[in-house]
Amino acid sequence: QVQLVESGGGFVQAGGSLKLSCVASGTIYSLNMFGWFRLSPGNPGGPREMVAMTGGGHPVRYVDSVKDRFTIIRDDSKQVVYLEMNNLKPEDTGFYYCYYKSFRDFWGQGTQVIVSS
């Protein structure tokens, strides 16, 4: 069983930065995928939007709207995955969820990011 706990969300003005962290407990395999998804206020019922993904034998992927602003960083030795977010925009506001894919999908509880204009 894998548990994911996010932290690092908060309130920031447009142009600011935040760094989200996701700590994983349980058995993590370096070849499996980690990712960050988000749920925006304008889409409360989902689905969650993929923001960044790494692992699984695929290149790192980002949704177009965050390319060159966000960076996903994975540290398997600490079982932590980060999302560095720079030049934040109001449209980045939402709940951010950590995701890990193993024999099934695992999700964290989410951390809220609010970007004011």
Side-chain angles (χ1 to χ4, degrees), residues 2-14:
V2 173
Q3 290 187 326
L4 306 173
V5 178
E6 304 99 331
S7 62
F11 182 92
V12 65
Q13 290 188 331

Side-chain angles (χ1 to χ4, degrees), residues 49-106:
E49 176 186 40
M50 189 280 292
V51 177
M53 293 284 284
T54 183
H58 302 286
V60 175
R61 292 171 284 166
Y62 298 94
V63 65
D64 286 347
S65 61
V66 308
K67 286 180 180 177
D68 299 324
R69 299 189 298 121
F70 290 13
T71 304
I72 186 169
I73 301 168
R74 176 174 179 164
D75 186 342
D76 285 335
S77 68
K78 298 179 180 178
Q79 297 196 164
V80 179
V81 62
Y82 304 96
L83 185 68
E84 290 187 342
M85 305 186 295
N86 297 310
N87 190 21
L88 282 160
K89 302 177 180 181
E91 52 263 42
D92 295 319
T93 293
F95 277 90
Y96 284 71
Y97 298 88
C98 183
Y99 166 80
Y100 175 73
K101 184 171 183 62
S102 179
F103 60 92
R104 69 170 182 89
D105 297 338
F106 293 93

